[in-house]
Amino acid sequence: MHPINMGKNASAVEPEKPRLLDILRTRIRLKHYSLRTEQTYTEWAKRYILFHGKRHPAEMGKEEVEAFLSHLAVKHNVSASTQSQARAAILFLYREVLDIELPWLDDVEQAKKPQRLPVVLTVSEVQALLYRLTGTHALMGRLMYGTGMRLMETVRLRVKDVDFERSEIIVREGKGAKDRITMLPQAVAAPLREHLGRVEALHGADLRAGFGEVHLPHALGKKYPNAGREWGWQYVFPAKQLSTDPRTGVTRRHHADEKGIQRAIRQAVRDAELAKPATPHTLRHSFATHLLQSGYDIRTVQELLGHKDVQTTMIYTHVLNRGGKGVESPLDRL
């Protein structure tokens, strides 16, 4: 049996050996995955191990992995995306930590992926929602609708990636770890400049207090030790408070918490009395749909959204159709 120590209170049979989940965390960090991914993958690995009575993953294989993933779909009725997330975590554990390939998984009971059209707001509904956002949340909401950026792309935006002269924003490491360029709306340029003036003053105060460093992607922090304190690398939407990085123990100013804008948009939807279940991502869906309604080419919209396949963008053409696929009802001819 392989001993597994999954927590601080677990008895260590071989204390000189690192715990499996610690090795997993180390591998995730070497791959430069986000803290959120680290937490998610670690939690799925725990659930997988506990599901099989704390057996070591090296002693398990095809039947055990398929049983766990099928259990999630059948007993817990998880969504297709949740099951895929669990699958990715377990594959990472086996491939990167245990050096075991899993070329099968064909017999897993797949969670059904519903084919739903995205929620899209009309132009007047977007206006009503944005009107009810205030302060920094109003600026973030306008940016998401005006650029098509995802929520996390917005909160992780760096100062250096906003180009006022070219009226463009470079979105770094979007979904699929791809960079792309989107427009900087003229309507938001002036308030964004004013906002950055306040952020720069806050950064200056942090520097004078002995802080002012932000997290840098990948190994840039080692290659350029002082880059984390430079203005260009700062977040456009910084957190209100300094916090300690749980990985390194370094006190930094992180980006704004995405939960703040999520709550603000939920409240704005209620205040505007919108019947649609709008979220921050709804602004991205509305951005794409409204561009297509304006006559822009679908390939252009695909590039702005960062979709790998134009088929993903094609879903918005279905939203463009009026009721009944654009067919006029005979009742309206009476």
Side-chain angles (χ1 to χ4, degrees):
M1 292 286 292
H2 294 265
I4 296 178
N5 188 347
M6 294 191 294
K8 293 180 180 179
N9 296 325
S11 58
V13 178
E14 296 181 18
E16 72 279 1
K17 290 186 178 181
R19 296 191 296 258
L20 178 67
L21 295 184
D22 288 338
I23 300 174
L24 174 62
R25 292 186 185 95
T26 300
R27 292 300 302 169
I28 291 172
R29 294 175 190 183
L30 286 174
K31 291 284 185 178
H32 306 296
Y33 289 0
S34 68
L35 177 60
R36 177 177 297 187
T37 300
E38 177 184 322
Q39 293 168 338
T40 300
Y41 277 21
T42 303
E43 184 59 32
W44 279 121
K46 282 183 183 178
R47 289 182 63 175
Y48 170 61
I49 293 168
L50 292 173
F51 178 78
H52 289 293
K54 294 188 178 181
R55 292 173 60 194
H56 197 284
E59 297 177 345
M60 299 187 283
K62 175 182 172 67
E63 292 183 2
E64 288 82 3
V65 174
E66 290 177 345
F68 175 67
L69 295 177
S70 297
H71 173 80
L72 293 177
V74 176
K75 298 295 184 181
H76 290 279
N77 197 30
V78 301
S79 66
S81 60
T82 299
Q83 189 189 44
S84 295
Q85 185 185 75
R87 182 178 182 273
I90 293 172
L91 286 175
F92 186 94
L93 173 66
Y94 275 93
R95 184 178 61 248
E96 301 294 338
V97 177
L98 302 175
D99 197 23
I100 298 173
E101 288 291 338
L102 304 181
W104 24 268
L105 297 183
D106 294 334
D107 299 329
V108 174
E109 182 70 27
Q110 297 292 328
K112 293 183 179 179
K113 188 174 184 178
Q115 297 297 317
R116 295 195 180 100
L117 293 177
V119 175
V120 174
L121 302 178
T122 65
V123 173
S124 61
E125 288 171 335
V126 171
Q127 289 175 328
L129 189 156
L130 295 180
Y131 177 76
R132 286 163 175 82
L133 293 174
T134 60
T136 303
H137 291 150
L139 182 58
M140 295 173 75
R142 294 173 71 189
L143 262 181
M144 284 188 283
Y145 173 65
T147 65
M149 287 194 296
R150 299 176 177 90
L151 171 60
M152 294 310 299
E153 292 170 347
T154 303
V155 298
R156 290 172 177 163
L157 183 63
R158 308 268 185 166
V159 172
K160 68 181 182 63
D161 294 323
V162 178
D163 192 327
F164 287 98
E165 278 193 35
R166 295 174 60 88
S167 294
E168 67 182 28
I169 291 175
I170 302 176
V171 181
R172 302 287 184 182
E173 295 191 14
K175 195 172 183 179
K178 295 179 296 184
D179 293 354
R180 71 179 189 278
I181 295 176
T182 187
M183 75 282 282
L184 170 62
Q186 289 302 305
V188 84
L192 183 57
R193 282 185 185 275
E194 293 178 8
H195 169 79
L196 287 177
R198 294 189 291 272
V199 174
E200 189 169 16
L202 178 64
H203 176 55
D206 284 347
L207 288 174
R208 289 190 293 274
F211 300 105
E213 181 183 358
V214 293
H215 168 74
L216 295 180
H218 307 315
L220 283 175
K222 292 182 179 179
K223 188 174 183 180
Y224 305 107
N226 297 320
R229 291 181 172 82
E230 294 176 3
W231 167 236
W233 280 102
Q234 303 305 304
Y235 292 113
V236 171
F237 298 106
K240 293 181 180 180
Q241 304 292 334
L242 296 170
S243 58
T244 301
D245 189 324
R247 286 177 166 179
T248 63
V250 177
T251 299
R252 300 187 178 105
R253 190 175 295 278
H254 200 46
H255 59 65
D257 187 351
E258 65 275 13
K259 294 183 182 66
I261 182 64
Q262 288 173 330
R263 286 192 294 266
I265 287 182
R266 279 199 300 270
Q267 186 60 51
V269 169
R270 289 192 290 268
D271 292 343
E273 299 182 348
L274 301 181
K276 297 174 182 175
T279 67
H281 208 67
T282 303
L283 295 174
R284 175 175 162 87
H285 292 322
S286 302
F287 163 86
T289 304
H290 296 167
L291 283 182
L292 291 172
Q293 285 175 335
S294 299
Y296 286 97
D297 179 76
I298 194 167
R299 293 286 184 180
T300 300
V301 178
Q302 176 193 358
E303 290 182 11
L304 290 171
L305 292 173
H307 287 161
K308 182 179 180 180
D309 191 337
V310 73
Q311 291 298 320
T312 307
T313 318
M314 287 290 288
I315 193 170
Y316 298 111
T317 63
H318 297 294
V319 182
L320 287 175
N321 294 326
R322 296 185 178 180
K325 296 186 178 296
V327 177
E328 183 182 6
S329 169
L331 178 64
D332 292 329
R333 295 185 179 182
L334 296 180

